[in-house]
Amino acid sequence: MPTPTKGPRLGGGPAHERLMLANLAAALFEHKRITTTVTKAKRLKPYAERLVTFAKRGDLASRRRVLGLISNKGVVHELFTEIATAVENRDGGYTRITKIGNRKGDNAPMAVIELVLEPVSAKQAVVAEATSAAKRDAEKAAPAAEEAPAEAEAEVVETEAAAAPEAEAKYAGSKPATADKEAPEGFAVKGNEDSMKYHVPGSRWYDSTTAEVWFDSAESAAAAGFAPAGGEAAQAVEAE
């Protein structure tokens, strides 16, 4: 359990304080939120979150340990079955304290302490999944790269050689882009497969466009499903 803070105890003695924290935790797990003083809420927060951590483990030893503190079996069952399931993807921060002003009468500062049962945001879940997937891929790729680098290079060469004729036949009247980015002889029309646009020589964006495929004419590009960048009129006028 967390180390007790210095200063006066919540109750008259250490046993009284333990009973008070256990009762507050049981009420919190049963009602999901309770109103109490700020001092009690701050002392309850680490106590309750520790019990939630035991519940997330879910084994018999953890259940017996929690039952030694909270005698209400119904509350313990709800903690292990419902609350632990709701926070299984959350790494800590199971409770939230909100101050609500002072109490009438003794002017004691009051607060609401509640369980954080909202699901983890979609963005955090996606980032976590992407990180774990990248880690798994890196672990799988490392041994293979160390064992047979020569075989991997040979497979890459064979794959590129096999893919070359398929790329040439991908569109009628076209040729794939080469590493030197030079236009093949007789193929001057640039095609961009990301935008599915083509650029004829002399057009506005021709020089700033990187060709992913070369066509022998604008008609071949149009037949392959590519649209003229800026429209047919713009391409025709600028090409002239």
Side-chain angles (χ1 to χ4, degrees):
M1 287 297 161
T3 303
T5 58
K6 295 181 180 179
R9 294 190 179 94
L10 297 179
H16 188 193
E17 180 179 277
R18 288 194 294 269
L19 289 174
M20 290 182 65
L21 289 175
N23 290 334
L24 286 170
L28 176 62
F29 297 145
E30 181 179 1
H31 302 289
K32 307 301 184 293
R33 58 181 294 165
I34 58 174
T35 302
T36 183
T37 62
V38 173
T39 301
K40 289 181 180 178
K42 289 182 178 179
R43 298 287 288 274
L44 175 61
K45 181 179 176 67
Y47 185 94
E49 293 193 357
R50 180 65 171 168
L51 297 182
V52 174
T53 302
F54 284 131
K56 288 179 67 176
R57 294 177 185 173
D59 55 4
L60 181 59
S62 298
R63 186 179 290 267
R64 286 175 174 172
R65 188 163 185 177
V66 175
L67 281 171
L69 301 173
I70 300 177
S71 58
N72 190 329
K73 294 182 179 180
V75 173
V76 175
H77 176 74
E78 184 176 2
L79 172 63
F80 274 75
T81 56
E82 297 181 10
I83 298 175
T85 303
V87 299
E88 62 181 354
N89 295 325
R90 188 176 294 277
D91 300 328
Y94 309 121
T95 59
R96 178 191 300 123
I97 297 176
T98 305
K99 295 182 180 180
I100 58 174
N102 295 347
R103 181 168 57 192
K104 291 182 180 180
D106 59 357
N107 205 34
M110 303 295 291
V112 172
I113 180 170
E114 57 187 337
L115 295 173
V116 182
L117 302 178
E118 298 86 356
V120 180
S121 66
K123 181 178 180 180
Q124 292 176 336
V126 169
V127 171
E129 178 62 24
T131 303
S132 60
K135 185 177 180 180
R136 289 195 302 268
D137 293 342
E139 291 175 353
K140 291 179 181 179
E146 294 176 358
E147 291 176 2
E151 294 180 2
E153 292 179 0
E155 290 179 0
V156 171
V157 172
E158 292 177 0
T159 303
E160 293 178 351
E166 293 181 2
E168 291 181 3
K170 190 172 184 180
Y171 306 108
S174 69
K175 282 192 176 182
T178 57
D180 57 8
K181 300 181 181 180
E182 296 293 333
E185 185 176 355
F187 294 81
V189 178
K190 292 182 177 181
N192 188 289
E193 292 183 311
D194 290 335
S195 61
M196 292 302 289
K197 302 288 186 181
Y198 70 82
H199 305 260
V200 300
S203 60
R204 178 179 178 183
W205 301 286
Y206 185 84
D207 294 335
S208 60
T209 300
T210 300
E212 296 177 352
V213 60
W214 295 89
F215 291 96
D216 56 1
S217 64
E219 290 75 11
S220 298
F226 286 72
E232 294 182 1
Q235 285 288 320
V237 171
E238 294 176 359
E240 293 174 359

